[in-house]
């Protein structure tokens, strides 16, 4: 089973003083890919929420649809 590391932790590693440059680059890249994956999964999950659940999280159906249409790299 794969162990996940939060993107914030990866970012902190990439800014550490003693990491070799190549390690910092790869850690930063892993951080970006992790964030893209999180966005993609979250947006996919919005498709399955009912109207009352969307209201519970404070967004409208149109806002959810707009968010679902975004690409994984879009903020």
């Amino acid at each position: 089973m794969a162990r996940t590391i939060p993107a914030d932790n990866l970012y902190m590693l990439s800014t550490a003083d003693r990491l070799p440059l190549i390690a910092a680059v790869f850690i930063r890249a892993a951080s970006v890919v992790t964030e893209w994956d999180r966005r993609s999964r979250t947006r996919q999950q919005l498709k399955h929420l009912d109207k009352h659940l969307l209201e519970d999280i404070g967004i409208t159906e149109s806002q959810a649809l707009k968010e679902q249409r975004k690409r994984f790299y879009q903020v």
Side-chain angles (χ1 to χ4, degrees):
M1 175 178 274
R3 181 174 173 221
T4 60
I5 299 174
D8 293 343
N9 292 354
L10 288 173
Y11 181 74
M12 286 174 51
L13 279 174
S14 71
T15 58
D17 292 337
R18 296 194 168 202
L19 284 178
L21 177 62
I22 192 73
V25 168
F26 279 107
I27 289 171
R28 182 66 183 134
S31 175
V32 169
V33 170
T34 300
E35 181 62 23
W36 287 348
D37 181 60
R38 185 191 61 78
R39 284 185 200 151
S40 177
R41 289 174 186 265
T42 301
R43 290 172 179 159
Q44 289 296 317
Q45 291 171 351
L46 280 174
K47 292 180 183 178
H48 305 291
L49 295 181
D50 295 329
K51 184 179 178 178
H52 74 279
L53 293 174
L54 291 173
E55 290 174 0
D56 283 349
I57 62 173
I59 61 174
T60 65
E61 289 181 271
S62 63
Q63 289 172 323
L65 186 58
K66 183 179 178 181
E67 189 66 29
Q68 291 169 34
R69 290 182 177 156
K70 289 183 182 178
R71 301 284 185 179
F72 64 91
Y73 53 83
Q74 293 177 311
V75 179

